[in-house]
Amino acid sequence: MALVKMLSILVLLVLGLAMTRRDLVSGSSSSCIFPAIYNFGDSNSDTGGRSAALTQIPPPYGETNLAEKLGLPYVSAYLDSIGTNFRRGAKFATGGSSILPGPFSPFDLGIQISQFKQFKSRTTELYKNLSDSGIVENCSSVSLPHPDDFSKALYTFDIGQNDLTFGFQNMTVDKIVAAIPGILDGFDAAVQQLYGEGARAFWIHNTGPIGCLPFMALPFKFRNGTLDQNGCVAYQNNVVQEFNQQLKERVNQLRNNLSVAAFTYVDVYSAKLSLISDAKNQGFVDPLNYCCGTFVPTFVMCGLSAQVNGTTIHGDACGDPQDRISWDGIHFTDAANSWIASRILNGSMSDPPAPVSNACP
């Protein structure tokens, strides 16, 4: 089951790429044609990898499906072998993943890169065997990307949130900050490996304001901590901003060292914080008022239940998530992600400030 409540940004990224194709046909000056997308990340962009590989995510996850409303196919999860079509790329992201090996998922970024390399190698070998045998002259019907597509594809990253979340749960602020360069070494190594495999277009999201997630802010508030004017844990967001600044510096270094490639750094943090700080005017309720699951009288995760003094407390979903920013206290709703995607795809929050349609070398 896809974690579709949180996928609007990358679904709309697919829409942006579809628009690029139309622009080219109509004579627009846009120069990018991305035949495929390869995504690396965590639950913010997982379309079903964790459910396929580990334990199926229970309802009400998967009840809304923005991609179907747009008439677009999902980029299939690499780990989901049932009915998949990888012609337009694959998602290696899985819920709980981190850049470095961590406790939330076995599929850290290094593993995701290894999976991609195996996928590319086996796909290339299959096409060669088919070509050598003369079985397939027109490969458009094959549900795998053409080997030439790998160097023309867009490679997207949305990962790092779980590295910092683990730090907030187990380390002092000073130790978390001291760990950031090592975390980013793992990110740097991943990009270098993809570049060695022929990747040339990179679209890199920074990490959002973790301190604004209800899952982080509400426990802090109930421990008598003071939230800032946006209802966020300020010190956590300060650490995230330090992480993002160092990430941007790494991207600049990669841009200088790998001059043939194109790197787009996307300030998702600012987009998300902008929505949170102006929630009411944008048609949303209190950002801490998430849709699925409960926090009082006890914490119950979305879709689960717990016994409290002989009473069963269910982590049910709200009737209409369209006015909520947070779906389950951790992930954004479709409505919120759609709002954010509309702000980032045009390039106004990117470095360089170019839309996704111009994110190629």
Side-chain angles (χ1 to χ4, degrees), residues 84-95:
T84 53
N85 187 329
F86 296 116
R87 183 71 185 181
R88 294 187 65 182
K91 285 180 180 287
F92 297 88
T94 56

Side-chain angles (χ1 to χ4, degrees), residues 209-213 217-218 220-221 225-238 241 269 273 276-277 286-288:
I210 295 175
C212 298
L213 300 176
L218 289 175
F220 185 80
K221 180 180 180 180
T226 301
L227 302 180
D228 66 14
Q229 70 273 16
N230 296 317
C232 308
V233 184
Y235 83 85
Q236 293 179 354
N237 283 350
N238 290 338
Q241 288 178 294
Y269 179 98
L273 189 61
I276 290 167
S277 62
D286 180 353
L288 293 181

Side-chain angles (χ1 to χ4, degrees), residues 40-99:
F40 305 88
D42 50 35
S43 58
N44 289 304
S45 53
D46 181 359
T47 53
R50 186 179 181 91
S51 283
L54 301 174
T55 302
Q56 185 175 15
I57 307 299
Y61 285 102
E63 288 187 348
T64 63
N65 195 320
L66 181 61
E68 288 180 0
K69 294 177 184 178
L70 294 173
L72 294 170
Y74 277 125
V75 177
S76 300
Y78 171 73
L79 293 171
D80 189 356
S81 60
I82 300 176
T84 53
N85 187 329
F86 296 116
R87 183 71 185 181
R88 294 187 65 182
K91 285 180 180 287
F92 297 88
T94 56
S97 291
S98 47
I99 294 175

Side-chain angles (χ1 to χ4, degrees), residues 62 135 282 290:
I135 295 177
Q282 299 302 325
Y290 60 96

Side-chain angles (χ1 to χ4, degrees), residues 10 29 47 91 107 109 132 157 169 186 252 268 281 302 324:
L10 284 169
S29 61
T47 53
K91 285 180 180 287
F107 302 107
L109 184 55
D132 289 346
F157 290 82
Q169 294 174 346
N252 286 334
V268 173
N281 291 331
C302 176
R324 311 298 173 97

Side-chain angles (χ1 to χ4, degrees), residues 19 66 84 91 108 121 135 151 172-173 175 186 195 201-202 220 243 266 279 306 311 318 355 361:
M19 292 172 65
L66 181 61
T84 53
K91 285 180 180 287
D108 59 78
S121 174
I135 295 177
S151 62
T172 65
V173 169
K175 288 185 177 180
Y195 183 84
F202 298 90
F220 185 80
F243 175 88
V266 185
T311 301
C318 60

